[in-house]
Amino acid sequence: MSLVAAVAAMMAGTAFAQSNVTIYGELDAGVGQRYYDAAGNKERGVITNYDGTSRWGLRGSEDLGNGLKADFNLESGAIDLKSGSIGGNGGFNRQAWVGLSGGFGSVMIGRTTTPQNRIMGQFDLNDTADGSSALKAVRLEANGSFGGSRQDAQIQYATPKLNGFQGRIAYVPEDNRTGGDPASNNKAFVQGAVEYKNGGLAIGAAVQSKLVKNSTDARTGYAVAAKYDFTSFVISGLYTQDESKAVGRGFGLGAAVPLGNLTAGLQVARITDSSVSAWEDATAFELFGDYKLSKRTRLYANYGRVNKEAQNGRNYGSKNTFGLGVVHKF
């Protein structure tokens, strides 16, 4: 019996006695072409996980009394709908944590998304679409440019939401980052992020400590961003100094217009400074459209393009990518 089937059977027989345990997920499939590498390895035709991420998960909580709750979240690796294979060897490599929450805020322990992911991802107006994101194409992804969107062995604290403010801080001990290898240059992971929301305004910032020792490339990384929803349209801007001098500094700008069930938008991202001169001025563009068929199902059409500097820096064989597909959430 597969791990997924075993867990599902176990939950069906026992855990669903708790009414606050939820199965959830998302499925994404379509047709298109991803940016492919210079060797000519192409992914075109039927594609998956281009706009969303196919996955399933379990989350829930137990009321412990006096305002205190025990919380958990298990979420599978990305599912390739072309073959049915699951990333992370079929395990829960997107979320696997347990924690406590209450009036003090919340604490999570395990593998989970970073503070940057949870706060800064909102400033990519196409929900950080993996296949077409302009920010991702130039390595300034809003949801995970600082060492990735997730970290193992993470201890993360989130403050309560107070008058629109919330903060998060995460720590991964150096021993977990090095795996006990004395030759490793990995440092402890320390990252924080804050946000403020008021009406249509959202402001966010994140900071990342150096991730490695004895490296002339490493530095403190930071990102600041703002978004405003005017109801008739939304605009967003983000500026990032990556913790890697080679990735450099850059910005992203975006605008989206809701037209009934359709939302159409444009985003651009550009590297303005890098220790690698050939990477400077790397630029990516993104056009996107989403059409809601229901609250849980949408159609998407995305197009992305990079300039010569971005193409060479990412070793892309193509300057263009596109995807047409459907995303369903459950």
Side-chain angles (χ1 to χ4, degrees):
M1 179 181 290
S2 70
L3 175 61
V4 171
V7 171
M10 177 187 69
M11 296 305 298
T14 58
F16 284 118
Q18 302 180 50
S19 60
N20 52 4
V21 176
T22 302
I23 288 182
Y24 68 94
E26 180 175 277
L27 301 170
D28 172 359
V31 295
Q33 172 187 285
R34 290 181 179 271
Y35 291 119
Y36 58 86
D37 64 35
N41 297 312
K42 302 176 181 179
E43 185 179 350
R44 62 169 55 164
V46 174
I47 57 175
T48 184
N49 302 328
Y50 187 92
D51 190 74
T53 302
S54 301
R55 64 198 190 273
W56 76 282
L58 301 165
R59 59 182 169 222
S61 64
E62 179 187 7
D63 190 340
L64 302 175
N66 298 316
L68 186 65
K69 291 183 178 180
D71 307 303
F72 78 91
N73 191 184
L74 299 171
E75 187 173 294
S76 76
I79 304 170
D80 185 340
L81 295 187
K82 300 191 304 293
S83 65
S85 62
I86 303 177
N89 298 316
F92 297 107
N93 76 330
R94 290 178 60 84
Q95 302 280 353
W97 60 266
V98 66
L100 296 172
S101 62
F104 62 90
S106 64
V107 175
M108 300 179 292
I109 303 175
R111 177 170 173 81
T112 187
T113 46
T114 63
Q116 182 190 26
N117 179 292
R118 289 174 176 261
I119 286 180
M120 303 300 287
Q122 64 185 301
F123 300 104
D124 184 322
L125 297 183
N126 197 22
D127 293 330
T128 69
D130 186 65
S132 63
S133 171
L135 285 163
K136 288 185 176 182
V138 295
R139 297 193 174 102
L140 297 179
E141 48 265 64
N143 65 331
S145 60
F146 301 147
S149 60
R150 292 166 175 77
Q151 288 288 323
D152 292 344
Q154 189 178 166
I155 303 169
Q156 185 174 149
Y157 168 70
T159 70
K161 294 182 179 180
L162 300 171
N163 298 319
F165 285 95
Q166 185 176 43
R168 291 180 175 271
I169 187 166
Y171 174 71
V172 179
E174 185 170 309
D175 283 347
N176 291 108
R177 293 260 299 146
T178 64
D181 180 1
S184 173
N185 282 325
N186 285 342
K187 297 184 66 175
F189 176 93
V190 182
Q191 185 184 107
V194 294
E195 68 176 336
Y196 171 73
K197 292 184 176 181
N198 185 0
L201 175 66
I203 300 172
V207 63
Q208 171 68 58
S209 65
K210 292 182 180 180
L211 293 173
V212 294
K213 298 175 285 187
N214 306 319
S215 171
T216 58
D217 181 61
R219 64 184 174 189
T220 299
Y222 65 85
V224 292
K227 178 176 71 172
Y228 198 90
D229 186 346
F230 292 91
T231 305
S232 59
F233 66 97
V234 182
I235 58 173
S236 180
L238 177 144
Y239 181 83
T240 298
Q241 172 177 288
D242 196 75
E243 87 282 353
S244 164
K245 295 177 183 178
V247 174
R249 303 183 183 95
F251 67 88
L253 297 172
V257 179
L259 302 167
N261 288 340
L262 173 67
T263 298
L266 165 68
Q267 298 192 118
V268 60
R270 184 176 178 88
I271 297 294
T272 57
D273 177 71
S274 169
S275 62
V276 180
S277 59
W279 180 242
E280 286 188 4
D281 300 325
T283 304
F285 301 90
E286 176 186 16
L287 293 169
F288 63 90
D290 290 309
Y291 186 84
K292 292 183 179 179
L293 299 175
S294 71
K295 290 183 178 180
R296 297 182 297 163
T297 305
R298 73 177 188 272
L299 302 176
Y300 65 84
N302 297 350
Y303 172 78
R305 183 174 175 84
V306 295
N307 68 355
K308 179 181 66 175
E309 288 81 6
Q311 181 184 18
N312 293 339
R314 295 304 304 268
N315 199 33
Y316 288 155
S318 170
K319 288 185 177 181
N320 304 289
T321 181
F322 66 91
L324 303 169
V326 58
V327 174
H328 175 71
K329 295 184 178 182
F330 61 89

